[in-house]
Amino acid sequence: VLSLCCEACKKVIFHVPSELEADTLVGRVDLKECLQSAEIISSSDGNFKILEDGSVYTTSAISLSAEKKTFTILLEDIQEHVQKRIHVSLVEEEKRKTRHARDTVLKRTKRRWGPIPSVMIENSLGPFPLQIQQVQSDTAQNYTIYYSASGPGIDQDPKGLFYIERETGNIFATRAVDREQYPSFQIICFATTPDGYSPEVPLVHTIRIEDDNDNAPYFTQDVFEFSVPENSKPGVVVGRVIAEDRDEPYTLHTTLKYRIVSQNPPVTPAFSLHGDTGVIAVLLPQLDRELVPSYTLLIEVRDMAGQPFGLCTTGTAVIRIEDTNDNAPSFKQLQYETRVEENRVNVEILRISVVDLDEPGSPGSGAVYEIIKGNDDRSFEITTDKNTNEGVLCVVKGLDYETAKQRTLVIAVNNEAPYMLAPHSQQLSQSTSSVTVNVLDVDEGPVFKPCLLRIDVKECEDIGASIGRYLAEDPETGNSEGICYRIAPGQCNWISIDEKSGEVRTIKVLDRDVGEMRRGQCNITVLAIDRNGKTGTGTIQVVIQPGNKNYPRITKTEYIMCRDRKPICLTAQDGDESPYSTPFVYRITDRSLASSWKITRHNDNSVYLSPKADTPFGTYTIPVSVTDNGGKVGENYVKVNLCDCVTPTECNTKSREVSGGNVTLGVWAILAMILGSLLLLLILITICGCCGSGVMHRHVTDDCANHNLIISNTEAPGEEVMDHNIIPLQNTSDQGGYGIKTGDQQTLEMVKGRGHTLESVKGGGHQTLGSVKEGGGQPMMDTCRYSYSEWHNFTHPRLGE
């Protein structure tokens, strides 16, 4: 990192033409005077380049559009980490007035008296009056001064300072002038003839006061205060002292030089001072705050570029050395011994002191203590007293005399701030100290082992069941003799402990669904009391484990299944928790129904119930057992109405129920059976009538649809009625029926069957009219075939409705 030595090492002004071409020499700068060991020379403006001898050249054509152009020459010493700057200003030089013949008009004018500039030495010693200048006119003889001015803003004549002789025009000064008060004067002179006429224009005459080195330089501060970290490397900038001079600027009278006159304490010089800039830098390779905390420098500033005849002034600079953590703390004692009673907690047992040469109160001297050995059980803790910087050793966990009568600790110490080693120094070693802690024996109460006992017990445990045992020991004897046990008041009232044996029993049935047992656990404080009345405490944590106390049950047991026979989803619930709930196992316990119905698994708690293909319509009560994961079986009855419907709403409360082998008949089936019975009775009466008259065959008129019920006047048919006119109908089921033939015409009538409506007769296994015709072997009359078909097509769907 480069450290800026000064903001302005040197100021250089070059007067150049307004137009500069490339590679034009602008001027030369003395670089050695500013930085002797400059390794890198660069320009802040790319239009200029600087050679090693200080020559400044342009790199491109430049036009000075403004009155002044500035740039900076940067000098760097990489090894010493020093950086300096030279500020260069380019000022356009005044153009010489040239006279062109064609632009000049020669005129004959009257000769005028000319002003001759005058110079007066500041603080001149005389003799006074001192002649300064003489002004003369060819046409006038008397001269007077109208008034005089001194510098900008001063328009009044210092009384009696100048006067002019009336006859000769000589200007005299009456006394010495201070340039800092009046840097210059402008005097207006008048020339008149004896009669008072002024043939000449008034003359403005300038009198410049030439500077005399009459002011010594002075420092801007009475005392300059700086600080620098100890062990800083040489060349590191500490600060800068500044002096000023009231004499004329940019002259030797204000060219100042600085130097260190003396250093206190008068040891090896620790700092250097740049003569031109006043910058103070580190010179001594090792600044040790512990040896010298501060330095006082007596600095002299002299004008005339430091020449012996120049005026000088002295000033003071105080440099404070800042502390760094370059000293490790060390214990005053390498061994300590202390004692503490057993079972004492949060008690201070020892204070430890250290020595640190760093600045007190700083992070470099703040001690940080640490127990590095002997504290595996975290029984001890050490902290720092910020006021005294001592280590405070405390016991934070009770010690047991019966376990260990003595403890040995090793304590180390560090600082709050990290170490910063001084140059050419060895690595700092960590200081340690050992502490022996003697544990004092104290008569103490019984101790439970362990101090917290967890007992897991299942739900529904019987009253008085033993669930565990909790014992305490006397630390001195190591046994449980003479110790009695009690449960502290205000505990949960469903656990008890035997006073002598410490056996833990239940006094209520444990149920996680009742009262305070819903939390599933209870912490019980148990007291152990020895013969001397000493008391120890322990804790029993009773945790109620979920049991298998609930039976699984099916949530919904009544369903309606339509003709599409879409499976029913059965879902069971169990109030127990895992592992006594899901997965469930379903089974139909009735063998006869198990052959007609089947169960298909859906997930852990649901199944599908569906009938087999040949299961007839009806209402079924199906016993289904559900077994949970714990083996508990719940019996359920599922009622399914297997209905010949499209939607479940069609099967309502008007349907009749048949238990077991009974069949439920619809309203239309009952009505059809009644009509069929009446029709059968009417046909039998007709047949009997025909047989009694001896007429076996009658011709039916063309309009057979109007004579389906044959008119017969015979009341009592003969025994031959049951001969070949009554044809048994064949069927494949357990149902029966009869086909009745009257004359040459057969009519299919309503037959009685088990569990079938009129529509089921149509396609349920009974023979149709055609099958009767063919099976009976008797020809039917062609005259009534179409009429019967029309009657059948008309009446059959309406009977089904």
Side-chain angles (χ1 to χ4, degrees), residues 28 328 474 570 596:
R28 183 173 287 105
D474 191 330
L570 302 179
S596 302

Side-chain angles (χ1 to χ4, degrees), residues 369-484:
Y369 299 90
E370 179 185 8
I371 302 175
I372 61 176
K373 189 177 180 181
N375 192 30
D376 297 335
D377 58 351
R378 305 289 181 182
S379 298
F380 300 91
E381 183 180 88
I382 189 168
T383 58
T384 303
D385 187 337
K386 297 297 183 181
N387 296 326
T388 62
N389 208 31
E390 294 177 322
V392 181
L393 182 63
C394 299
V395 177
V396 295
K397 188 184 296 183
L399 303 178
D400 188 5
Y401 174 81
E402 289 71 26
T403 302
K405 298 179 176 59
Q406 191 178 78
R407 299 285 295 271
T408 301
L409 308 176
V410 178
I411 301 176
V413 63
N414 293 307
N415 286 130
E416 297 176 5
Y419 293 123
M420 297 181 62
L421 299 180
H424 311 293
S425 62
Q426 297 180 354
Q427 181 68 31
L428 299 176
S429 59
Q430 188 180 41
S431 179
T432 59
S433 179
S434 63
V435 178
T436 301
V437 181
N438 297 313
V439 183
L440 303 180
D441 186 21
V442 176
D443 185 15
E444 46 191 339
V447 177
F448 283 96
K449 293 185 178 180
C451 60
L452 175 64
L453 176 64
R454 176 188 171 107
I455 300 178
D456 293 334
V457 57
K458 291 185 179 180
E459 271 187 299
C460 303
E461 196 73 51
D462 295 335
I463 297 177
S466 177
I467 61 175
R469 195 175 185 185
Y470 197 29
L471 298 178
E473 295 180 356
D474 191 330
E476 280 74 23
T477 62
N479 56 53
S480 302
E481 295 180 2
I483 298 177
C484 60

Side-chain angles (χ1 to χ4, degrees), residues 666-677 679 747-751 756-762 788 791-801:
V667 177
W668 289 105
I670 297 172
L671 181 61
M673 291 179 64
I674 295 174
L675 293 176
S677 300
L679 183 60
T747 305
L748 182 64
E749 300 297 336
M750 182 63 190
V751 295
H756 290 277
T757 61
L758 182 60
E759 184 177 354
S760 65
V761 176
K762 175 182 176 181
Y788 173 76
W791 172 80
H792 180 274
N793 294 335
F794 177 78
T795 59
H796 187 74
R798 286 160 176 77
L799 291 176
E801 294 175 356

